[in-house]
Amino acid sequence: MTDDALRALRENARLAELAAFPFDFDISRAAHGHVEEVRLASGAPLEVVAGDATGGTYFVCADGSVLYADSEGSAGLIGSGVDEALEIIIGLAEDEDDDEDEEDEEGFRDDLDVRDDLDAARAELRAALGFPERSRAELEALQKAALLRTEPDFLLLNATEHNAYELLDSYPRPPLWEPVLASGRADLTLLRSGEHPAWAEVAEDPVRRRLALRAAQFDRADGDLALLRHLLRHERRSSMTDELRLAAVLVGLRGDTGDLPLLHEVRETDFDTACGLGGMPEADASAQELREWARELDESLFGTDPSDEPVSTWTDLARDQGMAELARVTLIRELDAIVMDQSRLRRPDAPRTLATAPLSVLAHDFEGLGDLPQALRAQQLYAALQESAWDRASARHTQARLERDAGLLADATRTLTAVRDALATPGDDSLRDWQRVNLGRFIAEEHYRLTLALADADRPEEARALLAAADAILGELSENAAKGVRELAEETAARVRGIS
């Protein structure tokens, strides 16, 4: 996109003044920045180019799009470039009294004068910037198209708290599952066409195969049994996935007892698959027994409405087919909603407690996207809400690992202190066996890994102090739990000895 208009405003004081008043696009406010530090969730760069009298800010994004953020926590794209954004701002600007009734003739004349001034300024600025005459409807259509592009690639975050800005508009968006499932629906249509080369292409690709199975979940056809068998045979290569269980259910729902040998063969793939397909009827079962088994799993785990699926189903599939920003935006909005709920529950009259399990899942999903700030935000809240000493120690251990991965070594050191405090909680039986199980081993390992990171960062005093704490934890572990840690402990001790 061109930036001719922005260049003209920077080079011509008269045009800059007109843009600032009456159109409130003031390039002199760019030097002040936004009211708070912000960033795009995608990590793409932003440049402040103007501001307005209300504390709002205009940013230019890497592709030239213009993002507007107000001072109240809302943001959205307003144009595909500065030229288009200014066309829209100038063309849609209205006097604030345009829709109000005037009480006397003098007020009416004053209002006409203001509108005349606005129209004159609009005409002068449009002509100077080379903008065409567009109808209000055309400009509103351009504005809507820009606003609808805000998510997923241009989601604005508070750079400190990492929460998302609300959208500027209230236009409806398609549910997440629609764009995620689109390619799966196309592949299901291809499979139904009977083109056997396509059967091989789809079945051999793990992501396309999973998406085709999800499409078949919500668009069930009597003639799909052969292609479902084909996908089931290939999905077993991925061991126990939700889609493997789904494929087995979709085959079983047909009630063809000739499929029982295949279903039993799939169930015996490995231990996890045997557990995941537990309760499967025996090889001599009736068609009714096969259907009942499949129907019970279908009703408890699947169904025919994509809106009923857990959001993680769609964010995982979005990420796996390269829609990382779509997954990220959805997960951030989910986390923001939980954080908002938690803030409400801090009131004395709060009637319920927050379910914390989704926070742990969100932290895992954000880590899978490589978004450590959001993973930490979810994990820190999750850890803060744990009640038993075991749960606190486990959650803080994960938090420390994420902080170390993010390079927040001082934070990670403090978090490991909280882990040790939890281990020493008096009167809490949840941790009575921590020295003999994996939790103790994991905590010791994290102490040593953070010690190595401190040594590599040339922070010898902190490394020595944490090494002493790590050795103390190792000394409390059972022989079996300590077995896998000793080599790391020796490596760490040698590294710490080698720093001044």
Side-chain angles (χ1 to χ4, degrees):
M1 295 295 172
T2 65
D3 60 355
D4 292 345
L6 184 60
R7 185 182 303 110
L9 298 187
R10 287 170 173 170
E11 294 175 353
N12 188 313
R14 167 62 181 167
L15 299 183
E17 289 173 4
L18 278 176
F21 183 81
F23 301 108
D24 213 7
F25 184 92
D26 189 348
I27 61 173
S28 71
R29 294 179 183 270
H32 303 299
H34 194 46
V35 293
E36 62 185 7
E37 188 178 353
V38 293
R39 66 179 180 88
L40 289 179
S42 67
L46 288 171
E47 179 192 359
V48 177
V49 294
D52 66 21
T54 67
T57 306
Y58 296 94
F59 301 89
V60 172
C61 305
D63 71 339
S65 296
V66 176
L67 182 77
Y68 173 75
D70 66 24
S71 59
E72 303 300 318
S74 297
L77 291 184
I78 60 166
S80 59
V82 176
D83 288 12
E84 182 178 281
L86 271 170
E87 264 199 85
I88 292 168
I89 292 168
I90 295 166
L92 297 183
E94 293 181 345
D95 175 61
E96 61 183 11
D97 293 326
D98 275 358
D99 297 325
E100 298 180 5
D101 293 331
E102 299 301 330
E103 297 182 359
D104 53 48
E105 185 178 347
E106 183 179 351
F108 180 67
R109 284 198 304 272
D110 289 344
D111 189 51
L112 283 178
D113 290 341
V114 170
R115 279 188 241 176
D116 287 344
D117 289 344
L118 181 66
D119 289 342
R122 179 182 287 121
E124 181 180 351
L125 197 51
R126 269 180 170 167
L129 297 177
F131 292 163
E133 289 286 339
R134 295 187 196 267
S135 69
R136 187 174 190 85
E138 287 179 286
L139 293 171
E140 288 174 345
L142 288 173
Q143 183 183 59
K144 180 179 179 179
L147 288 165
L148 288 174
R149 286 199 305 114
T150 302
E151 292 185 355
D153 294 324
F154 302 95
L155 180 69
L156 193 67
L157 305 181
N158 176 299
T160 303
E161 301 297 330
H162 308 296
N163 57 293
Y165 273 52
E166 296 298 323
L167 291 170
L168 277 177
D169 66 272
S170 57
Y171 294 123
R173 266 77 171 175
L176 174 63
W177 60 264
E178 282 192 10
V180 173
L181 199 57
S183 63
R185 287 171 154 176
D187 275 341
L188 181 60
T189 299
L190 195 61
L191 291 170
R192 285 172 173 168
S193 72
E195 298 178 11
H196 289 283
W199 280 37
E201 291 172 10
V202 174
E204 292 290 338
D205 185 314
V207 176
R208 292 181 68 182
R209 183 172 67 237
R210 290 170 61 205
L211 286 163
L213 282 166
R214 288 294 178 178
Q217 174 186 349
F218 307 114
D219 179 11
R220 304 184 182 193
D222 292 337
D224 285 349
L225 184 53
L227 69 88
L228 291 171
R229 290 169 179 154
H230 181 66
L231 294 175
L232 173 60
R233 291 188 182 95
H234 283 77
E235 186 60 21
R236 68 182 294 190
R237 300 175 185 176
S238 300
S239 186
M240 190 60 239
T241 63
D242 288 339
E243 285 74 27
L244 177 64
R245 188 186 284 113
L246 170 61
V249 164
L250 293 176
V251 169
L253 284 171
R254 269 59 178 188
D256 188 335
T257 57
D259 287 319
L260 281 166
L262 169 62
L263 291 169
H264 279 265
E265 180 185 342
V266 170
R267 186 183 64 179
E268 299 308 313
T269 298
D270 54 33
F271 177 78
D272 289 340
T273 306
C275 293
L277 295 177
M280 183 182 291
E282 297 301 321
D284 59 352
S286 67
Q288 181 179 350
E289 290 172 319
L290 177 57
R291 286 194 193 95
E292 287 178 353
W293 167 79
R295 188 177 299 114
E296 182 178 337
L297 282 178
D298 188 30
E299 291 176 353
S300 63
L301 297 175
F302 300 111
T304 58
D305 187 346
S307 299
D308 291 338
E309 282 292 317
V311 69
S312 59
T313 296
W314 305 122
T315 54
D316 287 351
L317 288 169
R319 179 195 62 207
D320 291 346
Q321 59 182 312
M323 300 178 178
E325 293 312 312
L326 187 59
R328 190 196 315 275
V329 166
T330 303
L331 293 171
I332 290 172
R333 294 294 190 196
E334 287 282 309
L335 179 53
D336 283 354
I338 293 174
V339 171
M340 183 65 70
D341 280 348
Q342 174 60 18
S343 67
R344 294 192 188 104
L345 292 173
R346 290 174 184 159
R347 298 188 309 233
D349 59 344
R352 61 184 178 84
T353 57
L354 180 71
T356 62
L359 289 166
S360 180
V361 174
L362 283 169
H364 177 270
D365 289 346
F366 279 124
E367 187 178 8
L369 287 171
D371 194 333
L372 291 178
Q374 296 293 349
L376 268 170
R377 186 161 75 108
Q379 186 65 29
Q380 285 164 351
L381 180 55
Y382 176 73
L385 295 171
Q386 300 312 302
E387 296 182 356
S388 74
W390 176 285
D391 291 340
R392 289 198 304 276
S394 176
R396 293 296 185 195
H397 159 264
T398 301
Q399 178 182 331
R401 177 181 60 76
L402 291 171
E403 287 166 340
R404 173 174 57 82
D405 288 345
L408 304 173
L409 304 187
D411 289 350
T413 301
R414 285 191 293 272
T415 300
L416 285 184
T417 299
V419 171
R420 297 194 298 276
D421 290 344
L423 295 178
T425 301
D428 191 321
D429 290 340
S430 67
L431 275 172
R432 64 177 178 271
D433 294 323
W434 71 267
Q435 300 94 334
R436 294 190 287 275
V437 295
N438 280 337
L439 178 62
R441 176 169 66 86
F442 294 154
I443 289 172
E445 287 175 343
E446 185 54 37
H447 275 73
Y448 286 118
R449 290 195 176 98
L450 181 56
T451 301
L452 285 171
L454 289 167
D456 290 343
D458 197 24
R459 297 161 73 163
E461 295 304 318
E462 295 166 83
R464 292 188 187 99
L466 192 59
L467 177 60
D471 288 342
I473 291 172
L474 181 59
E476 292 194 56
L477 299 184
S478 68
E479 183 59 34
N480 189 53
K483 191 181 302 180
V485 186
R486 297 197 186 282
E487 184 176 344
L488 177 61
E490 292 170 2
E491 176 192 346
T492 305
R495 178 71 182 89
V496 172
R497 285 195 300 269
I499 60 177
S500 56

